[in-house]
Amino acid sequence: MKPAVLTRYRVMAYVTGVWLLLLCLCMVFKYGFDMGATLTLYVSQLHGLFYMIYLVTAFDLSMKMKWPVGRMLAIMLAGTLPGASFVAERKVVESVRENGRAPEPVQA
């Protein structure tokens, strides 16, 4: 497996997680303080776009690693829970490195 597959997944896991946390914050302001409805709309649209890209990268990584469907679905659903994509990313990186399919990071 090429290291770029894992890198793409890692980037999208962080991007999706950050935008989901930002969306949760916007929702608090929208429904709790009745402000920021327009910002919430834009943030939700961006999170949706990034989540779709995250799904593609998670699917690509799962196919290359030959993971079972249940594990693939769990990783894909991690982008819907605040903070879960960060945890899933750590577990995926550990799993890929355990299997010896990705190079260890270079220490300078």
Side-chain angles (χ1 to χ4, degrees), residues 12 16 44-59 76 79:
M12 287 314 303
T16 303
S44 66
Q45 299 276 325
L46 280 171
H47 168 66
L49 174 68
F50 290 135
Y51 181 66
M52 287 187 279
I53 298 168
Y54 171 78
L55 289 177
V56 171
T57 59
F59 180 78
M76 289 178 162

Side-chain angles (χ1 to χ4, degrees), residues 53-91:
I53 298 168
Y54 171 78
L55 289 177
V56 171
T57 59
F59 180 78
D60 184 36
L61 179 65
S62 298
M63 289 293 106
K64 295 221 175 16
M65 293 296 297
K66 297 181 172 84
W67 285 332
V69 174
R71 183 171 188 178
M72 177 179 65
L73 290 176
I75 291 168
M76 289 178 162
L77 288 173
T80 62
L81 297 172
S85 65
F86 304 116
V87 174
E89 184 269 337
R90 281 284 93 207
K91 291 188 182 288

